[in-house]
Amino acid sequence: MSTLKIAIQKSGRLNEDSIQILKDAGISIDNGIDQLKAEASNFPLEVLYLRNSDIPQYLIDGVVDIAIVGDNLLVEKGGNIEVIQKLGFSKCKVSVAVPKAFDYKSVQDLDGMRIATSYPKTVLDFFNSKGVTVDIHQISGSVEIAPNIGLADAIVDIVSSGSTLFKNNLKEVEVIFKSEAVLAVSPKVSPESQIIIDTLKFRIESVLRARKSKYILMNVPNDKIDAVGKILPVLRSLTVLPLAQEGWSSVHSVIDKDTFWDVIDQLKEAGAEGILICPIEKMVL
């Protein structure tokens, strides 16, 4: 069997989250200090730790088969790279920001102005779509400082919490698109590698479903089970087990972690008691 080559960011938050999702998918990686390459001990996978901005080109050239990379980089440099799974972490926005004193009303206010960015293609595509002409200053590193030192009138950069913009006396005025970490595949991947990719994707999907869900169990009077069942989103059907107390059952199901407080309120009104919420490690469908 061939070995699948996956690229991940060599340092930073995206690196940590990428390693964690592989670990949660049951893949053990010998992740030594300052390693640029490491092999999994229990899965046909080799990890290459690369500079984030270089990953799209490695995919295009077929040097790596897959990568965990920010969607924003694929929009900028990705060409025909296919995204096969959104991963739900490293979420951010690619946004336009201007000095707080700028009386901004619409994107047309930036016509003819200087825009500092690390994403020239993204910027050009966005402003061309709005019929606005801008002067792009491509820089790397701390883009946010550009307006303060007179290099640019505005910036386009990734925004997470917005704290960096605030510290540099800037305000977000346009969101070009939202981004997150994704699993991307090289257009040159071999059929043999594709089989391994399908297995890896299946494992990651199971991890992601578990992260989005909680296991719920509760005590319900037997005459209230139908009402409770109409409230609960279920995989196939409720699990119902009789309790020692006559007329009562233990009801089990899975709920979305983002909405479970609303669901719990409805369950209580429907007659459920002793409600327990538990994490799910994996969820295989």
Side-chain angles (χ1 to χ4, degrees):
M1 180 182 289
S2 65
T3 299
L4 193 71
K5 292 183 178 180
I6 182 171
I8 65 173
Q9 187 182 51
K10 66 180 179 180
S11 61
R13 180 63 182 274
L14 185 54
N15 167 275
E16 296 170 6
D17 289 338
S18 300
I19 293 295
Q20 186 61 52
I21 199 166
L22 293 176
K23 180 180 177 181
D24 291 346
I27 298 171
S28 179
I29 300 168
D30 181 15
N31 188 26
I33 297 174
D34 295 329
Q35 276 187 296
L36 297 180
K37 187 169 67 171
E39 289 191 5
S41 61
N42 59 349
F43 193 82
L45 186 74
E46 183 179 64
V47 180
L48 277 68
Y49 302 99
L50 303 174
R51 233 176 33 160
N52 204 35
S53 59
D54 293 338
I55 291 177
Q57 193 61 50
Y58 277 77
L59 284 166
I60 290 170
D61 293 341
V63 176
V64 296
D65 302 300
I66 58 173
I68 296 176
V69 63
D71 196 25
N72 56 299
L73 276 178
L74 296 183
V75 171
E76 179 66 25
K77 300 181 176 182
N80 62 338
I81 294 172
E82 180 187 3
V83 171
I84 60 170
Q85 182 69 58
K86 293 187 176 183
L87 299 176
F89 57 82
S90 294
K91 292 186 177 183
C92 63
K93 297 172 286 184
V94 177
S95 299
V96 182
V98 300
K100 289 180 181 177
F102 193 117
D103 185 19
Y104 184 89
K105 295 182 177 63
S106 72
V107 70
Q108 278 69 35
D109 293 338
L110 297 175
D111 192 45
M113 292 195 174
R114 301 166 297 166
I115 308 292
T117 188
S118 301
Y119 303 94
K121 178 184 178 299
T122 300
V123 172
L124 189 62
D125 290 347
F126 173 73
F127 283 103
N128 282 347
S129 71
K130 302 295 183 180
V132 174
T133 301
V134 295
D135 181 12
I136 298 174
H137 288 243
Q138 184 176 355
I139 60 176
S140 59
S142 301
V143 175
E144 294 86 357
I145 199 173
N148 292 331
I149 61 176
L151 180 64
D153 302 296
I155 69 166
V156 171
D157 201 14
I158 57 173
V159 177
S160 296
S161 66
S163 61
T164 304
L165 293 182
F166 181 80
K167 291 175 183 176
N168 286 277
N169 204 34
L170 300 173
K171 61 183 179 182
E172 181 183 61
V173 293
E174 297 284 345
V175 176
I176 297 178
F177 64 87
K178 294 181 180 180
S179 175
E180 64 182 274
V182 297
L183 189 64
V185 180
S186 168
K188 296 184 178 181
V189 70
S190 70
E192 188 175 9
S193 294
Q194 185 62 54
I195 295 172
I196 308 173
I197 290 171
D198 292 341
T199 301
L200 177 62
K201 182 174 181 285
F202 173 79
R203 291 192 184 192
I204 288 175
E205 286 174 342
S206 298
V207 171
L208 294 175
R209 278 193 294 267
R211 288 182 179 182
K212 294 176 182 177
S213 305
K214 296 287 186 181
Y215 191 75
I216 183 170
L217 54 158
M218 71 208 79
N219 298 330
V220 181
N222 289 343
D223 60 354
K224 302 291 186 181
I225 291 176
D226 287 344
V228 165
K230 292 177 182 177
I231 297 168
L232 285 170
V234 295
L235 299 178
R236 188 177 297 271
S237 64
L238 296 176
T239 299
V240 180
L241 303 173
L243 293 177
Q245 183 176 346
E246 188 176 348
W248 285 76
S249 294
S250 177
V251 176
H252 301 215
S253 188
V254 173
I255 61 174
D256 189 298
K257 74 170 188 177
D258 293 328
T259 60
F260 76 83
W261 283 117
D262 292 334
V263 172
I264 286 173
D265 289 339
Q266 296 176 51
L267 292 172
K268 289 172 63 179
E269 290 179 6
E273 298 180 6
I275 301 171
L276 298 180
I277 307 294
C278 305
I280 300 172
E281 186 174 340
K282 306 287 188 298
M283 196 161 81
V284 180
L285 299 181

